[in-house]
Amino acid sequence: KRRKQTPTSEYVTQILKGNITFLSKAITLVESTNAKHQKKANEILEACLPYANKSVRIGITGVPGVGKSTFIESFGKHLTSLGKKVAVLAVDPSSSVNKGSILGDKTRMEQLVTDENAFIRPSPSGTSLGGVAQKTRETIILCEAAGFDTIIIETVGVGQSETAVHSMVDFFLLLKLAGAGDELQGIKRGIIEMADAIVINKADGDNAKNAKIAKVEFNRALHLYPPKENGWVPKVLVASALQHKGIDNIFSMIDTYITDAKKSGFFNEKRNQQNKYWLLETINQQLKDNFYNNPDIKNLLDSEIKKLKESKTTPFNAAKRLLGK
Ligand code: GDP
């Protein structure tokens, strides 16, 4: 016997009431690859959309071990103590493979997980960053409809996932450690350019002094980069996520940034740009998928590759033939 399906309207009503069980079930539909689930997910998303968009979205990145979970827990508790509702999501395209460091893992945020004003959801699994990013963006909409006013999106400081997260948040935070030697080593230029602020974590104990030195050096380094579109000069702060130090400063900084961005219109402008980016990204991905999954193309591609090996065609002529099909 088939189980009776929960109607879309029931999902929406419950999500808008802030019902976490329904929110979680809807996210599971979003993450499913089953066509029926996806259809349902899209109906729910469409109905939730008018109630979304009202949050502040904060991206947090940094290499494994820098203290992301510890920071998010401390920062998240600070936010809920101010009466905010916090959702923690993650973008980790490797999460299905690399079981060792699942982002947004609830066991790594023991305090926040029991906070009734916090909702933590690990990264959807998947090997394609595009797929994972789309699911996370849809999950943001559902969380916002459920009344979460602050969305934290965690990602690792390695690879391409920062670009994806940067393109879905209002404020992008890079966590760093004070280290001996050249402070700039190991930071990819691209990631620094994306950051609205750098937080030097673990500024406690013997490390406190080094953190202050690193702050000066990072500040100097940041001046080598062009200012942001809105004129914002990225800030460098120190914190101890473990000892909950510097967390309130970081919140005030972000709060000031958001208030100013809303006043100037930059906040909406950036979100519009991001929507356009994701529209084009989705089209690009879809076109590529349709192309490469077409059986005729698959066959022709194989034969053109063979001809290339035999020097019977050039890459450009082969591409022309394939695209002309
Ligand atoms: P993640 O991999 O970036 O999520 O890092 P974790 O939050 O799991 O932290 C890695 C390790 O660093 C853990 O042992 C934490 O207890 C420790 N840690 C995190 N933040 C701090 C901090 O502010 N000070 C100190 N001393 N240790 C910290």
Side-chain angles (χ1 to χ4, degrees):
K1 239 171 43 185
R2 277 189 49 189
R3 259 178 56 214
K4 203 168 159 286
Q5 299 257 334
T6 313
T8 302
S9 59
E10 177 68 3
Y11 271 101
V12 178
T13 308
Q14 293 301 331
I15 289 171
L16 292 180
K17 276 189 195 163
N19 184 323
I20 297 300
T21 310
F22 275 82
L23 173 63
S24 298
K25 277 166 71 178
I27 296 173
T28 303
L29 292 175
V30 160
E31 291 175 351
S32 169
T33 49
N34 176 305
K36 267 191 198 152
H37 293 169
Q38 289 198 339
K39 185 169 171 281
K40 186 94 173 174
N42 282 332
E43 288 171 11
I44 298 170
L45 279 165
E46 220 155 88
C48 283
L49 205 49
Y51 306 94
N53 250 319
K54 286 171 196 131
S55 75
V56 172
R57 305 167 183 168
I58 303 167
I60 293 180
T61 191
V63 294
V66 72
K68 290 182 297 299
S69 319
T70 314
F71 178 83
I72 291 170
E73 170 139 291
S74 183
F75 188 65
K77 289 298 284 183
H78 182 67
L79 291 169
T80 59
S81 79
L82 297 172
K84 297 192 178 293
K85 282 189 76 181
V86 184
V88 179
L89 312 176
V91 171
D92 181 4
S94 64
S95 66
S96 56
V97 191
N98 183 6
K99 292 269 191 251
S101 67
I102 297 173
L103 294 183
D105 183 356
K106 295 178 187 183
T107 60
R108 295 163 75 218
M109 303 178 198
E110 282 172 2
Q111 303 267 321
L112 204 55
V113 81
T114 57
D115 193 320
E116 60 173 19
N117 288 315
F119 173 75
I120 304 173
R121 182 89 183 185
S123 176
S125 60
T127 44
S128 127
L129 175 59
V132 172
Q134 185 190 339
K135 288 169 192 170
T136 303
R137 276 184 51 88
E138 292 175 344
T139 300
I140 292 175
I141 292 169
L142 296 177
C143 289
E144 288 175 344
F148 289 94
D149 52 36
T150 313
I151 316 280
I152 295 176
I153 304 165
E154 180 189 10
T155 192
V156 269
V158 287
Q160 284 297 301
S161 51
E162 285 78 20
T163 313
V165 171
H166 179 250
S167 309
M168 60 176 88
V169 297
D170 307 308
F171 195 94
F172 196 62
L173 204 62
L174 169 64
L175 294 194
K176 288 295 300 177
L177 294 176
D182 184 1
E183 298 300 340
L184 292 177
Q185 272 192 13
I187 319 175
K188 291 186 213 81
R189 192 188 155 91
I191 296 178
I192 293 242
E193 268 180 2
M194 282 187 258
D196 296 304
I198 294 176
V199 170
I200 300 161
N201 190 35
K202 306 198 187 181
D204 46 48
D206 292 343
N207 233 339
K209 204 175 135 214
N210 284 340
K212 282 198 183 121
I213 297 170
K215 178 179 167 168
V216 174
E217 290 181 12
F218 277 123
N219 253 324
R220 195 181 300 142
L222 281 176
H223 278 99
L224 302 174
Y225 293 91
K228 302 262 166 190
E229 247 177 281
N230 57 340
W232 171 261
V233 180
K235 306 278 181 288
V236 185
L237 292 93
V238 295
S240 168
L242 202 61
Q243 297 179 3
H244 314 291
K245 282 186 196 152
I247 302 296
D248 45 351
N249 282 340
I250 296 166
F251 172 71
S252 315
M253 168 192 60
I254 297 176
D255 200 37
T256 305
Y257 176 96
I258 299 293
T259 308
D260 290 353
K262 281 187 173 164
K263 240 186 251 162
S264 71
F266 181 74
F267 186 87
N268 278 332
E269 195 187 306
K270 187 165 165 183
R271 284 206 173 176
N272 287 336
Q273 278 175 15
Q274 290 177 336
N275 280 333
K276 186 177 155 199
Y277 169 86
W278 286 106
L279 167 68
L280 298 181
E281 266 302 289
T282 310
I283 292 174
N284 290 346
Q285 194 59 50
Q286 194 73 59
L287 285 174
K288 262 199 228 169
D289 288 351
N290 290 349
F291 181 78
Y292 287 111
N293 290 332
N294 178 332
D296 290 347
I297 292 292
K298 278 185 185 165
N299 288 333
L300 187 59
L301 186 59
D302 285 344
S303 74
E304 290 295 315
I305 290 172
K306 197 160 159 271
K307 278 205 261 169
L308 265 177
K309 273 190 202 154
E310 296 163 352
S311 301
K312 286 182 181 155
T313 187
T314 66
F316 309 102
N317 281 334
K320 227 181 200 174
R321 263 182 69 106
L322 279 154
L323 291 167
K325 222 181 138 57

